[in-house]
């Protein structure tokens, strides 16, 4: 057989494998959407007050009453917030791992979550939240802990961005800087807890647990708009990030600026993470775990990774929220604890495996 025939056969084999992988990713996307819809419906029905499908259909048809209030004012905002927050956190993790080329990169490991926790603790222990909200009506739909959590998270982001601008610093340095930021703000939060009275301490601990059910409709819609814009942006730019993932030399040869791309991506996902954490509290490891799960199930293009990781993050956080509400019913467990139980073993596994896994 001639070399020309061998090359043709190899090309056909590559195309066939690519088509199979594309079909597998499409099936995965459809499956995730079906599972998300199923999980959302289950979330509306499950809880301390049992609701059946007949009640749900009656509400859809316009019936009002106690069950309507439970679903519309309590369960639906919580499950939709979990969906949107899961999308945002998972996508942020996938983008960070791509641009930093580090399997341990995520919003949680870069210290953004811990900075937000310190900001919330600072507002609860040091500042007078009620007096602030009276004097600034613009923030009536937000809490002071949410505002200060966002502010301190942005300080952490600014520090990380400053480090990333130094050309001599590698991507590993950014992750190490994130670990240092985590330690710094964790120590600060511990000091504030030590100085707090019993009520303030309880408030700080409750905030750090993470809870999608603490948002109202206004906060949800604002969060949903931000997440939607970020998802669309990274889906559109996914080809450029595929080139970046292939190596800086490849990206530069095709007219891209790797430093500028990393800076923009890190700014966007850090801002997104700050907004999510300031509204729902700390929910760790979704951004770390989800991209690795998707790569393991069905590796594909960068666009497929971003899309399927976002959907899988939404599904994982909805499931975690359901387990938190129903596992020890009527006791509601912290969602962040359940996600940590999932993420911590994988985090240890990645540390042991190192770059061989990546």
């Amino acid at each position: 057989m001639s070399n020309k025939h061998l090359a043709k056969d190899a090309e056909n084999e590559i195309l066939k494998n690519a088509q199979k992988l594309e079909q597998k990713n499409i099936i995965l996307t459809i499956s995730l959407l079906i599972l998300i819809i199923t999980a959302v419906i289950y979330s509306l029905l499950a809880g301390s007050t049992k609701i059946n499908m007949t009640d749900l259909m009656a509400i859809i048809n316009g019936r009002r009453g106690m069950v309507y209030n439970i679903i519309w004012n309590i369960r639906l905002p919580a499950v939709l917030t979990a969906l949107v927050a899961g999308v945002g956190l998972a996508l942020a993790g996938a983008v960070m791992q791509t641009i930093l080329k580090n399997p341990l990169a995520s919003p949680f490991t870069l210290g953004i979550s811990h900075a937000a926790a310190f900001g919330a603790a600072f507002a609860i222990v040091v500042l007078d939240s009620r007096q602030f909200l009276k004097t600034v009506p613009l923030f009536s739909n937000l809490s002071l802990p949410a505002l200060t959590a966002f502010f301190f998270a942005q300080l952490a982001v600014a520090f990380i961005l400053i480090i990333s601008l130094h050309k001599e610093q590698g991507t590993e340095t950014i992750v190490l800087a994130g670990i240092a930021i985590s330690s710094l703000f964790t120590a600060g939060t511990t000091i504030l807890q030590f100085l707090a009275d019993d009520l303030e301490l309880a408030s700080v601990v409750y905030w750090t647990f993470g809870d999608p059910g603490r948002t109202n409709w206004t906060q949800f819609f604002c969060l949903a708009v931000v997440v939607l814009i970020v998802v669309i942006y990274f889906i559109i730019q996914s080809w450029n990030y595929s080139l970046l993932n292939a190596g800086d030399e490849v990206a530069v040869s095709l007219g891209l600026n790797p430093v500028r791309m990393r800076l923009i991506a890190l700014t966007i996902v850090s801002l997104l993470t700050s907004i999510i954490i300031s509204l729902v509290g700390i929910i760790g490891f979704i951004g770390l775990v989800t991209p690795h799960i998707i790569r393991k199930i069905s590796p594909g293009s960068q666009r497929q990774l971003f899309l399927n990781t976002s959907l899988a993050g939404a599904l994982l956080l909805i499931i975690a929220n359901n387990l938190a509400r129903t596992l020890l019913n009527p006791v509601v467990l912290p969602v962040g604890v359940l996600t940590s139980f999932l993420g911590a073993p994988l985090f240890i596994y990645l540390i042991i495996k190192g770059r061989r896994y990546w």
Side-chain angles (χ1 to χ4, degrees):
M1 187 178 291
S2 65
N3 291 336
K4 197 175 286 187
H5 284 108
L6 289 173
K8 188 68 176 177
D9 290 342
E11 183 180 340
N12 290 335
E13 186 67 23
I14 291 172
L15 289 174
K16 189 183 295 184
N17 291 334
Q19 289 174 351
K20 287 182 180 179
L21 189 59
E22 182 74 22
Q23 292 174 354
K24 186 177 180 181
N25 276 282
I26 292 173
I27 293 172
L28 177 60
T29 301
I30 296 173
S31 300
L32 287 171
L33 287 171
I34 294 173
L35 289 172
I36 287 172
I37 294 172
T38 304
V40 167
I41 294 174
Y42 177 81
S43 298
L44 298 178
L45 302 180
S48 56
T49 300
K50 298 298 180 182
I51 298 174
N52 53 44
M53 284 298 299
T54 304
D55 295 328
L56 188 59
M57 293 306 299
I59 291 171
I60 294 174
N61 292 328
R63 193 182 75 181
R64 300 292 183 269
M66 184 185 72
V67 174
Y68 169 84
N69 290 328
I70 291 173
I71 289 182
W72 182 256
N73 296 321
I74 300 175
R75 293 185 183 177
L76 188 58
V79 68
L80 292 181
T81 299
L83 189 155
V84 172
V87 167
L89 293 173
L91 179 61
V95 172
M96 285 182 175
Q97 290 171 14
T98 297
I99 63 176
L100 299 178
K101 297 181 182 179
N102 192 312
L104 302 180
S106 75
F108 191 78
T109 53
L110 288 185
I112 301 172
S113 300
H114 299 86
F118 174 81
F122 184 81
I124 292 169
V125 178
V126 178
L127 304 180
D128 188 344
S129 304
R130 290 173 296 179
Q131 186 62 34
F132 177 86
L133 295 176
K134 287 178 182 177
T135 55
V136 188
L138 176 65
F139 299 119
S140 58
N141 281 319
L142 295 172
S143 65
L144 184 57
L147 294 172
T148 52
F150 178 77
F151 173 75
F152 279 96
Q154 288 309 298
L155 287 181
V157 170
F159 181 72
I160 292 171
L161 292 178
I162 290 172
I163 292 177
S164 67
L165 288 174
H166 288 276
K167 294 182 180 180
E168 66 272 11
Q169 302 296 340
T171 54
E172 295 86 354
T173 305
I174 298 176
V175 176
L176 293 174
I179 295 173
I181 291 172
S182 299
S183 300
L184 178 65
F185 281 109
T186 298
T189 303
T190 302
I191 292 174
L192 290 175
Q193 290 176 338
F194 179 77
L195 298 175
D197 59 33
D198 291 344
L199 182 59
E200 292 170 342
L201 180 60
S203 298
V204 171
V205 172
Y206 172 74
W207 194 94
T208 58
F209 281 160
D211 179 18
R214 69 178 60 174
T215 57
N216 55 41
W217 281 111
T218 302
Q219 294 169 344
F220 162 73
F221 284 122
C222 292
L223 180 60
V225 169
V226 173
V227 171
L228 180 62
I229 293 172
V230 174
V231 169
I232 292 174
Y233 171 80
F234 281 112
I235 293 296
I236 293 174
Q237 296 291 324
S238 57
W239 174 248
N240 289 337
Y241 287 102
S242 296
L243 297 176
L244 183 65
N245 201 32
D248 288 2
E249 296 80 6
V250 175
V252 171
S253 67
L254 295 173
L256 299 177
N257 186 333
V259 175
R260 182 171 175 269
M261 287 179 62
R262 287 194 179 95
L263 187 63
I264 292 174
L266 194 57
T267 302
I268 292 174
V269 297
S270 299
L271 181 64
L272 173 64
T273 303
S274 302
I275 294 173
I276 293 173
I277 292 172
S278 66
L279 292 177
V280 303
I282 295 179
I283 299 177
F285 290 104
I286 290 292
L288 174 65
V289 171
T290 315
H292 292 291
I293 293 176
I294 294 301
R295 289 191 188 96
K296 200 73 174 175
I297 294 175
S298 181
S301 67
Q302 205 65 42
R303 176 174 297 180
Q304 293 165 336
L305 173 65
F306 287 165
L307 177 59
N308 288 333
T309 295
S310 300
L311 294 176
L315 179 62
L316 284 176
L317 193 49
I318 292 173
I319 291 174
N321 189 48
N322 288 339
L323 290 174
R325 292 190 301 110
T326 59
L327 201 59
L328 296 178
N329 190 30
V331 177
V332 178
L333 294 174
V335 177
V337 172
L338 294 179
T339 58
S340 295
F341 270 119
L342 173 66
L346 180 59
F347 187 83
I348 296 172
Y349 174 77
L350 292 175
I351 292 174
I352 294 174
K353 283 290 184 180
R355 291 192 175 274
R356 287 176 294 168
Y357 180 80
W358 187 252

